[in-house]
C-alpha cells in the first residue's frame, strides 16, 4: 500500500510503501528500505490528533541512541493515506522477541517454562520464576524499565500506561508503546489532553483532575509506575486480592480501592485482611526493606511523597549490586 509521511509541520509529504502487519490490524510494516526499522500505527480520530502527533515529532528524545536496549515508541512522523488525510504515525518497531509485560504481572502457580505461553519460548525458561534468581532478574528488568520511562520527555504525562504498553525481551530490552496518548504540557500550559486513560493505574487525585478537565501531573505517572512495579514483583495489583472491612466493604472496583487509599500495607491496613489460603500479597514481605518503603510512599495519601524514577532506579541498582 502506498502511504505518505511528514516529519514536521513545515516538511513535505514523503511516499513510502507499507503492508498490513501480522502483529495487529492497526499496524503496517514499512517495506521502504530506509524506514524498515519503523512501522505505521493507525489511530482512531487521527485527523483530530494530527497536530498533536506533529508536535511530538518535533520534540524527539535526544539521548535515545545511547541506550540500544531501550525503545521509546514516540512518533517520528505523521502518516497519511493517498488523500493526504492523517491516519496515524510512524514509530520504531519493538525489539525482536518482545512480549507484553503482562506475562510477568500475573501470579503463576506453575514454573513459567511449563506455562503454555512459554512452551515454545526457550529463552524465557527459568529466568523469571519466583525464586531468588528469578526475583533478581525481575528487579534487573524493572531497573531497565526505569531507565526507559526516565527518557520520556517531562512535558508528557503517560496517562495511558499499564503493563500492556510495556514490551520486554528475555534479555531485558524494553519498549514503551502508545505514548501518543500521553497528556502534553508546556510548563503550566495544557497543550493536548491524554485522550485515553487506564483507570486502575490512576491515583485518587488523578481521577478528580479528569473530572474537572485540569491537567494530570507527573505524580500521577509515578503512581502508575509503582503499580506496574508492584505487579511484576508480587503477581497482583496493589489494591486487589484483599478482604475489606466496614466502612470500606462496599468498595468493589480497583478504582474505588485506590480512591480510598486501601493498600494492604498502608495507612488503612486495619480495614484490610488478606486471604489465608491464597494470599497474593505475601511476596511483599520478602521484598527488600528499601523496596517496601518506596511502595508505602507510592501508595500513601500524599502525592508529593511518591518516589521518583531516580529513587526507584537507585534502590533497584543497589539491590542488584548487593546480590552479585
Amino acid at each position: 500500500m502506498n502511504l505518505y509521511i511528514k516529519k514536521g509541520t513545515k516538511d513535505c509529504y514523503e511516499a513510502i510503501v507499507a503492508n498490513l502487519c501480522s502483529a495487529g490490524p492497526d499496524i503496517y510494516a514499512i517495506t521502504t528500505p530506509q524506514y524498515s526499522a519503523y512501522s505505521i500505527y493507525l489511530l482512531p480520530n487521527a485527523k483530530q490528533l494530527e497536530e498533536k502527533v506533529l508536535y511530538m515529532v518535533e520534540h524527539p528524545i535526544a539521548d535515545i541512541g545511547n541506550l540500544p536496549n531501550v525503545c521509546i515508541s514516540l512518533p517520528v512522523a505523521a502518516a497519511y493515506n493517498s488523500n493526504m488525510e492523517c491516519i496515524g504515525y510512524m514509530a520504531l518497531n519493538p525489539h525482536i522477541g518482545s512480549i507484553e509485560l503482562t506475562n510477568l504481572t500475573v501470579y503463576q502457580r506453575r514454573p513459567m517454562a511449563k506455562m503454555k505461553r512459554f512452551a515454545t519460548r526457550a529463552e524465557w525458561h527459568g529466568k523469571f520464576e519466583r525464586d531468588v534468581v528469578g526475583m533478581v532478574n525481575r528487579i534487573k528488568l524493572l531497573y531497565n524499565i526505569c531507565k526507559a520511562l526516565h527518557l520520556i520527555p517531562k512535558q508528557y504525562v503517560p496517562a495511558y500506561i499499564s503493563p500492556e504498553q510495556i514490551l520486554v525481551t528475555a534479555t531485558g530490552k524494553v519498549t514503551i508503546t502508545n505514548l501518543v496518548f500521553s497528556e502534553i504540557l508546556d510548563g503550566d500550559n495544557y497543550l493536548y489532553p491524554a485522550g485515553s486513560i487506564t483507570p486502575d493505574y490512576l491515583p485518587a487525585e488523578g481521577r478528580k483532575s479528569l473530572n474537572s478537565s485540569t491537567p494530570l501531573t507527573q505524580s500521577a505517572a509515578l503512581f502508575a509506575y509503582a503499580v506496574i512495579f508492584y505487579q511484576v514483583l508480587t503477581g497482583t495489583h496493589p489494591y486487589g486480592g484483599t478482604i475489606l472491612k466496614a466502612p470500606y466493604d462496599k468498595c468493589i472496583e480497583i478504582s474505588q480501592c485506590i480512591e480510598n487509599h486501601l493498600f494492604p500495607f498502608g495507612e488503612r491496613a486495619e480495614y484490610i485482611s488478606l486471604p489465608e489460603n491464597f494470599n497474593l500479597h505475601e511476596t511483599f514481605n520478602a521484598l527488600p526493606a528499601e523496596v517496601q518503603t518506596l511502595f508505602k510512599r507510592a501508595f500513601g495519601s500524599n502525592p508529593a511523597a511518591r518516589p521518583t524514577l531516580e529513587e526507584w532506579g537507585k534502590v533497584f541498582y543497589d539491590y542488584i549490586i548487593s546480590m552479585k
Side-chain angles (χ1 to χ4, degrees):
M1 175 183 290
N2 293 324
L3 298 175
Y4 298 85
I5 59 172
K6 191 162 70 168
K7 299 178 182 176
T9 53
K10 298 180 180 179
D11 280 35
C12 298
Y13 294 99
E14 181 179 351
I16 61 168
V17 179
N19 298 318
L20 191 61
C21 180
S22 59
D26 56 351
I27 303 175
Y28 280 80
I30 299 175
T31 57
T32 303
Q34 70 191 92
Y35 297 119
S36 60
Y38 300 84
S39 291
I40 298 296
Y41 297 86
L42 304 184
L43 285 173
N45 303 316
K47 293 180 182 179
Q48 288 74 33
L49 292 173
E50 180 181 7
E51 182 181 318
K52 180 180 182 181
V53 168
L54 287 171
Y55 175 92
M56 300 179 89
V57 169
E58 294 174 343
H59 292 79
I61 298 173
D63 299 326
I64 190 65
N66 298 325
L67 292 170
N69 292 332
V70 170
C71 175
I72 307 296
S73 187
L74 281 173
V76 296
Y80 300 83
N81 61 20
S82 57
N83 296 321
M84 301 307 170
E85 298 170 326
C86 185
I87 59 172
Y89 63 97
M90 182 173 79
L92 277 169
N93 297 324
H95 294 290
I96 295 173
S98 293
I99 64 173
E100 287 185 1
L101 186 63
T102 47
N103 287 276
L104 299 180
T105 59
V106 179
Y107 182 82
Q108 298 157 335
R109 286 180 178 271
R110 295 181 295 161
M112 288 175 59
K114 296 180 181 179
M115 299 296 290
K116 184 177 181 181
R117 73 186 81 175
F118 292 109
T120 60
R121 295 176 178 267
E123 69 273 20
W124 289 90
H125 292 185
K127 292 199 69 172
F128 296 97
E129 312 297 345
R130 296 198 177 277
D131 53 20
V132 174
V133 173
M135 292 303 288
V136 171
N137 284 336
R138 285 172 182 261
I139 289 181
K140 287 181 179 179
L141 180 61
L142 290 181
Y143 175 73
N144 288 345
I145 291 174
C146 279
K147 289 197 298 184
L149 293 172
H150 192 261
L151 285 174
I152 298 172
K154 296 302 181 186
Q155 68 264 39
Y156 300 160
V157 180
Y160 185 65
I161 187 74
S162 72
E164 286 82 359
Q165 280 73 57
I166 301 177
L167 307 180
V168 296
T169 70
T171 56
K173 294 182 178 180
V174 176
T175 302
I176 310 296
T177 69
N178 287 322
L179 287 173
V180 72
F181 296 115
S182 297
E183 172 188 277
I184 303 180
L185 305 173
D186 181 10
D188 294 328
N189 297 321
Y190 192 17
L191 295 183
Y192 302 101
S196 189
I197 63 166
T198 44
D200 289 355
Y201 295 81
L202 200 63
E205 80 280 359
R207 296 184 67 82
K208 293 176 182 177
S209 294
L210 289 176
N211 292 335
S212 61
S213 299
T214 56
L216 294 170
T217 64
Q218 282 295 339
S219 180
L222 293 176
F223 178 90
Y225 302 156
V227 173
I228 294 170
F229 299 163
Y230 192 92
Q231 288 180 295
V232 170
L233 292 177
T234 67
T236 191
H237 193 286
Y239 293 87
T242 62
I243 301 171
L244 302 175
K245 305 173 185 177
Y248 302 106
D249 52 330
K250 299 297 188 295
C251 294
I252 300 174
E253 303 293 334
I254 291 289
S255 58
Q256 293 175 305
C257 295
I258 292 174
E259 288 180 12
N260 287 283
H261 308 292
L262 297 173
F263 176 53
F265 307 99
E267 57 203 55
R268 292 181 176 168
E270 73 229 59
Y271 299 103
I272 305 167
S273 61
L274 300 171
E276 293 183 6
N277 296 328
F278 192 50
N279 177 10
L280 293 177
H281 292 273
E282 62 183 352
T283 306
F284 178 86
N285 295 314
L287 295 176
E290 295 81 3
V291 175
Q292 292 184 30
T293 298
L294 292 188
F295 279 129
K296 290 176 181 178
R297 284 173 49 195
F299 304 135
S301 57
N302 180 9
R306 289 179 190 139
T308 63
L309 286 171
E310 291 90 342
E311 289 180 275
W312 282 110
K314 183 179 186 308
V315 167
F316 290 149
Y317 180 81
D318 289 346
Y319 177 74
I320 294 165
I321 294 300
S322 71
M323 295 300 288
K324 287 186 177 180

